[in-house]
Amino acid sequence: MSTQLFIADLHLEAARTAASDHFLTFLDGPARQADALYILGDLFEYWVGDDDPAAFFDPAIKRLKALAADGLKIAFCHGNRDFLVGPALAERMRAELLGDETLIEHQGQRVLLMHGDTLCTDDTDYQKLRHQLHSPQWQQAFLSLPLTQRHEQARALRAQSQEAQVSKASDIIDVNDTAVTEAIQRHRANVLIHGHTHRPARHELSIDGREVTRWVLPDWFSGGGYLRADEHGLTLIDGVH
């Protein structure tokens, strides 16, 4: 039975060296003993294009590449902060790029993987912005800008997002129950794993007469954490040691 690890919401950036250190510890420890690592979005605080040298991230990227060379399967799902990660960076990390919704199997169960932002349908302002940012026209125009301008715009969008979060009710920025149900029904999933909300938990649901588990992954603003799937089932682990 293989061991699969799931992480999300690391939000790596030069201003937060602790998160990067925790990630390197994780890669040298739990990830080295696993068969697969699924990164479910927001590995980076923001990503402005694969042509950005982004030297601060080199140690983590090189470590991922080395682990892949040793046999670790690495898969990456875009988050709301790093949706511009493209094939070039994926190749540097030796990672498979996933879609917004990916179905895998574990112990005979159908496991649906998502970042989670598309489940927050009550936040209509965010969903409109997401639609704009994911349009090919916007991305082509943005990626044609000089790197300095892209960084400026990314920082402005981040500040705008943080300001908007403060004024929104907590239930608005959490997942919508109907969106969760519909995603699970689309894939006939037994398990849903996602991040984005920064509210780590295990939720037991009953959908169409089936028992379904929804796992919310922890963020890495303190000590980090991950979900482990092995012969014993699924376990949410606090910390990276």
Side-chain angles (χ1 to χ4, degrees):
M1 178 64 65
S2 66
T3 297
Q4 301 169 323
L5 306 182
F6 305 87
I7 59 175
D9 300 302
L10 285 79
H11 293 268
L12 299 180
E13 61 172 333
R16 294 179 55 245
T17 58
S20 181
D21 291 341
H22 288 318
F23 187 43
L24 294 177
T25 298
F26 169 79
L27 294 178
D28 287 338
R32 190 169 292 279
Q33 307 302 319
D35 299 289
L37 171 63
Y38 291 89
I39 305 170
L40 301 186
D42 287 358
L43 174 61
F44 307 108
E45 176 65 4
Y46 63 84
W47 189 257
V48 299
D50 289 358
D51 58 330
D52 186 352
F56 172 77
F57 305 117
D58 279 348
I61 292 171
K62 289 178 179 177
R63 202 75 54 92
L64 286 167
K65 180 179 179 180
L67 287 171
D70 288 339
L72 178 69
K73 170 186 169 68
I74 301 172
F76 178 89
C77 170
H78 292 111
N80 56 296
R81 298 295 185 92
D82 51 17
F83 58 91
L84 286 174
V85 167
L89 180 61
E91 174 61 24
R92 285 177 61 196
M93 297 189 295
R94 297 296 189 268
E96 173 190 357
L97 284 178
L98 304 177
D100 288 340
E101 301 180 2
T102 299
L103 193 69
I104 64 171
E105 286 198 6
H106 178 72
Q107 291 185 325
Q109 293 188 312
R110 297 168 64 86
V111 181
L112 176 59
L113 308 179
M114 307 175 67
H115 175 59
D117 59 331
T118 57
L119 299 172
C120 301
T121 55
D122 292 328
D123 192 349
T124 54
D125 289 340
Y126 167 72
Q127 295 301 331
K128 291 177 182 177
L129 177 62
R130 185 185 190 280
H131 180 73
Q132 174 191 342
L133 298 181
H134 282 254
S135 71
Q137 296 83 1
W138 185 91
Q139 292 189 7
Q140 182 178 5
F142 180 82
L143 292 173
S144 68
L145 296 173
L147 273 172
T148 53
Q149 290 187 33
R150 280 184 258 164
H151 277 279
E152 289 173 1
Q153 289 197 22
R155 286 192 291 266
L157 281 170
R158 180 177 63 175
Q160 176 185 334
S161 172
Q162 291 171 339
E163 183 179 350
Q165 295 286 326
V166 173
S167 62
K168 294 177 181 177
S170 60
D171 58 333
I172 294 295
I173 56 178
D174 202 354
V175 300
N176 174 278
D177 290 341
T178 299
V180 168
T181 297
E182 290 176 349
I184 289 170
Q185 289 175 325
R186 273 196 301 276
H187 299 275
R188 294 180 291 110
N190 308 102
V191 178
L192 168 61
I193 302 173
H194 69 85
H196 181 65
T197 65
H198 299 215
R199 301 176 182 184
R202 171 179 175 170
H203 301 272
E204 298 296 338
L205 312 171
S206 180
I207 297 177
D208 297 335
R210 297 182 296 109
E211 298 304 311
V212 178
T213 304
R214 177 169 72 92
W215 293 92
V216 186
L217 300 173
D219 62 45
W220 288 51
F221 283 102
S222 53
Y226 58 98
L227 184 67
R228 177 186 176 95
D230 56 22
E231 68 272 18
H232 303 295
L234 283 82
T235 307
L236 195 61
I237 297 175
D238 185 25
V240 298
H241 297 285

